[in-house]
Amino acid sequence: MEKLITPLSLIPYPQSVERLSGFFVWNRSLKIFPGEFGNEVALFLAGLPVEIRASMVDSEALTQIKFNIDQELANEVYQLIILGEEITITAHNETGVFYALQTLRQLIMSEYQFNSTQIEIQAVHIMDAPRFQWRGFMLDEARHFQGMQTVKDLLDWMAYFKMNVFHWHLTEDQGWRIEIKQYPKLIVIGSSRDASQVSGFLGKQLNTIPHSGFYTQTEIKEIVAYAAERHIQIVPEIEMPGHSQAALAAYPELGCTGGPYQVSPRWGIHSDILCPGKPGTTTFLQNVLTEVLDLFPGKFIHTGGDEAPKTRWKNCPDCQQLARENGVARINDLQTILTNRISQFLDKYGRTLIGWNEMLAEGLDPEAVVQYWVGREKTLLQHIRSGRKAILSNFVAYYLDHGYAHSPLDKVYQYEPVFKQLEPEYHHNILGIETPLWTEFVPNRARLDWQIFPRLLAVAETAWLQPENKDLAGFQQRLPTFLKQLDTKNVGYALFSDANPPVYKRLFGALSLVQAGKGQR
Ligand code: ACM
Ligand code: ZN
């Protein structure tokens, strides 16, 4: 009886769950004919413990899981029917099949005990569709390089929770992390720094520990393919014009003053940014992006655009000249000129530029997608109403680098990302949501796990479930099963009491975004 009222252990929770009577018995003697879904079934099976890993067969007559394609269903929608004798999955295409199999895997894993050889899965009819088409996570690997294994592990968890965009922040003041063959110094010089700022954003203190790391193009291709198998698109971010000091250290002729510049050991906003007035700058960016486009087949390329002070531009003869040639009154507007050049360049290759909301300005290419994190909602809403597409990453709720006292799990779960003031007729311009992890204070895996988990699950559920179906108590009830699964993979998530701190801690937490020093459980 108890079982009937407990929610199924699923995150994100599906749109519609209808319990049927009986159970399907899952064990390793089951056989699956994957048909055209070999990749999806292979990944599903690889995600099960060996004691209960079914096998693939090449005869449809033997199968206990049936796959149907129904073109009438929308892209990511799936139906999963579990009956006593068989399981049927119906979807528009392989993406829906992949999600149905993740749901099935969650149902199996929630009943799995160490060494189980047989699992009873509740008979059920599930119909599911995501709220947003963009369900993103961003990793900053420039402040601290994390490496291929960590990225692959995160892609695995994203897939398990049905997230589909991995935004990869690869260039910064503090490091350039992607091999570009035409500009070898980006790696030789730009991927290493001598020291890192410690003791908080306001601290002046530097350690003496060098930090370096980068991905070769071969490694990038491996990660892009790994993500694609999991139905995740990778959006690379090549920052411009700000947060570019590592590129300037390698190629100082791209800056207003000509340098010399240093790969920065300090966090924060840097005044030395790319000079749009130097003829070489646009060429450099286009050449870099040409290699980036070859590596990343997805539609979207992120070009940053945030936190770019115009201090140097104001005193630079080349910037002044560019302003005169283009008849722009304010030097700030040169950012729009640069962004539009790049946006049009990307458009020639069928790609779309994304930038942080500081790039918003009159005259900005209407096709450029905005990622909102902070600042004037009014300007953002005007752009959305006039047709611009947006991704929402409100930093108060969705920045995973924030401490739990500032952004507790329950608050993150309850946060409604779409602005109340936005009329429903414009909601289709919201592509979705994304939760970034900036890594100034994330030097290692333990800290990374602690910042991301379990908040990633709350964001995944928000990305999938319609707001009226969200339910904090239900989420909290379903969470422990998943924490146990994170344990089996040694993920050092924040414990429930740390993730939901008491009120007095939240009051102080609001004053300090970063909760320093928590790396281990
Ligand atoms: C940002 O947090 N500067 C996008
Ligand atoms: Zn300049």
Side-chain angles (χ1 to χ4, degrees):
M1 198 62 206
E2 170 93 76
K3 212 162 181 150
L4 286 177
I5 49 165
T6 350
L8 297 179
S9 289
L10 294 170
I11 291 179
Y13 207 68
Q15 285 238 328
S16 145
V17 174
E18 186 194 340
R19 285 161 190 271
L20 307 171
S21 62
F23 296 91
F24 181 93
V25 178
W26 185 277
N27 59 48
R28 64 181 290 174
S29 66
L30 292 174
K31 301 193 170 22
I32 307 176
F33 173 68
E36 60 199 284
F37 308 110
N39 166 55
E40 288 70 26
V41 172
L43 284 172
F44 162 75
L45 293 174
L48 296 176
V50 282
E51 311 88 88
I52 51 164
R53 194 172 293 164
S55 43
M56 283 207 250
V57 288
D58 51 16
S59 155
E60 193 159 12
L62 294 174
T63 199
Q64 277 113 3
I65 302 192
K66 295 218 159 67
F67 300 101
N68 298 315
I69 287 300
D70 180 353
Q71 309 264 322
E72 308 265 295
L73 294 176
N75 180 27
E76 298 183 294
V77 170
Y78 69 88
Q79 183 186 47
L80 170 65
I81 301 179
I82 301 175
L83 300 173
E85 298 304 315
E86 67 175 23
I87 295 174
T88 309
I89 286 170
T90 308
H92 172 83
N93 62 12
E94 57 278 6
T95 305
V97 168
F98 181 74
Y99 290 140
L101 287 169
Q102 297 311 310
T103 296
L104 179 59
R105 185 154 75 99
Q106 290 193 358
L107 291 173
I108 295 170
M109 292 311 294
S110 72
E111 298 293 331
Y112 174 78
Q113 305 287 342
F114 182 65
N115 275 348
S116 306
T117 53
Q118 184 136 308
I119 285 165
E120 291 188 343
I121 320 173
Q122 165 78 51
V124 70
H125 181 168
I126 290 173
M127 200 50 193
D128 206 2
R131 177 182 181 194
F132 294 117
Q133 70 188 74
W134 190 286
R135 306 181 294 277
F137 164 70
M138 188 210 84
L139 180 63
D140 164 17
E141 283 217 78
R143 270 55 175 268
H144 281 102
F145 183 75
Q146 310 287 339
M148 170 119 71
Q149 191 55 53
T150 298
V151 170
K152 286 185 172 176
D153 291 346
L154 290 171
L155 290 168
D156 284 343
W157 289 115
M158 285 177 68
Y160 194 45
F161 299 112
K162 304 190 180 87
M163 298 182 80
N164 65 352
V165 179
F166 178 65
H167 169 180
W168 207 1
H169 187 81
L170 288 165
T171 72
E172 260 303 336
D173 298 311
Q174 299 82 10
W176 183 284
R177 309 274 174 235
I178 170 173
E179 177 192 24
I180 301 294
K181 294 197 193 282
Q182 198 177 339
Y183 298 98
K185 286 193 279 185
L186 288 172
I187 289 310
V188 175
I189 294 173
S191 72
S192 306
R193 63 175 186 261
D194 299 337
S196 300
Q197 178 178 337
V198 286
S199 73
F201 275 109
L202 301 176
K204 293 263 182 291
Q205 202 186 329
L206 300 181
N207 66 19
T208 53
I209 306 170
H211 186 79
S212 62
F214 69 94
Y215 292 101
T216 63
Q217 294 201 350
T218 308
E219 289 169 328
I220 300 254
K221 285 182 194 150
E222 183 177 329
I223 292 173
V224 168
Y226 192 90
E229 285 169 1
R230 287 154 183 77
H231 296 265
I232 295 171
Q233 175 186 172
I234 302 195
V235 176
E237 181 176 350
I238 305 295
E239 271 261 26
M240 62 189 77
H243 290 287
S244 296
Q245 206 173 296
L248 291 179
Y251 296 97
E253 64 273 22
L254 304 176
C256 290
T257 65
Y261 306 103
Q262 172 195 30
V263 181
S264 182
R266 297 190 185 280
W267 318 131
I269 300 176
H270 292 58
S271 307
D272 286 306
I273 69 175
L274 293 167
C275 171
K278 303 277 186 296
T281 301
T282 305
T283 313
F284 167 82
L285 291 172
Q286 292 182 348
N287 289 340
V288 166
L289 288 172
T290 300
E291 293 190 32
V292 167
L293 295 184
D294 279 346
L295 294 167
F296 296 93
K299 182 170 167 55
F300 296 96
I301 304 290
H302 206 300
T303 58
D306 58 317
E307 299 179 328
K310 310 305 184 303
T311 331
R312 299 285 182 264
W313 291 7
K314 286 188 179 125
N315 299 311
C316 168
D318 298 316
C319 285
Q320 302 290 345
Q321 191 182 331
L322 181 67
R324 273 196 304 277
E325 281 168 13
N326 287 275
V328 303
R330 298 176 329 138
I331 211 84
N332 271 18
D333 298 337
L334 293 183
Q335 182 163 346
T336 310
I337 290 179
L338 181 71
T339 311
N340 284 350
R341 273 185 193 164
I342 300 300
S343 181
Q344 280 145 23
F345 172 79
L346 293 174
D347 187 56
K348 273 202 313 211
Y349 297 93
R351 312 297 185 95
T352 300
L353 178 145
I354 304 178
W356 299 104
N357 61 277
E358 287 98 317
M359 77 167 173
L360 290 179
E362 226 175 286
L364 176 69
D365 185 340
E367 296 302 314
V369 173
V370 58
Q371 181 167 15
Y372 181 74
W373 70 284
V374 74
R376 297 191 51 205
E377 284 178 17
K378 218 173 133 201
T379 309
L380 176 80
L381 290 170
Q382 277 167 3
H383 278 264
I384 294 176
R385 289 190 186 106
S386 61
R388 189 179 301 289
K389 302 282 188 234
I391 297 154
L392 304 179
S393 298
N394 185 322
F395 89 120
V396 175
Y398 285 164
Y399 271 29
L400 292 168
D401 38 306
H402 291 166
Y404 284 90
H406 182 278
S407 305
L409 178 64
D410 51 10
K411 282 277 183 325
V412 172
Y413 183 86
Q414 286 173 310
Y415 178 71
E416 167 47 41
V418 176
F419 303 92
K420 280 198 189 65
Q421 316 90 292
L422 188 68
E423 301 77 3
E425 66 260 39
Y426 303 115
H427 283 195
H428 68 277
N429 287 332
I430 307 286
L431 296 180
I433 61 176
E434 192 178 294
T435 190
L437 178 68
W438 300 100
T439 58
E440 287 93 337
F441 301 102
V442 183
N444 55 41
R445 181 66 182 262
R447 183 64 188 256
L448 176 127
D449 285 349
W450 192 83
Q451 298 290 146
I452 295 178
F453 297 101
R455 285 185 291 204
L456 188 75
L457 283 66
V459 178
E461 182 144 308
T462 304
W464 197 272
L465 209 50
Q466 296 299 328
E468 63 275 16
N469 293 338
K470 278 175 70 183
D471 163 20
L472 177 63
F475 175 74
Q476 289 172 339
Q477 197 179 356
R478 286 173 278 129
L479 191 58
T481 302
F482 290 94
L483 298 182
K484 249 174 37 194
Q485 294 174 43
L486 290 165
D487 275 330
T488 66
K489 304 279 185 195
N490 294 316
V491 176
Y493 56 85
L495 293 178
F496 194 80
S497 54
D498 289 333
N500 298 279
V503 173
Y504 75 92
K505 284 200 182 161
R506 296 182 187 213
L507 290 174
F508 291 109
L511 301 174
S512 143
L513 295 180
V514 179
Q515 192 163 319
K518 281 269 187 176
Q520 317 282 347
R521 282 200 283 140

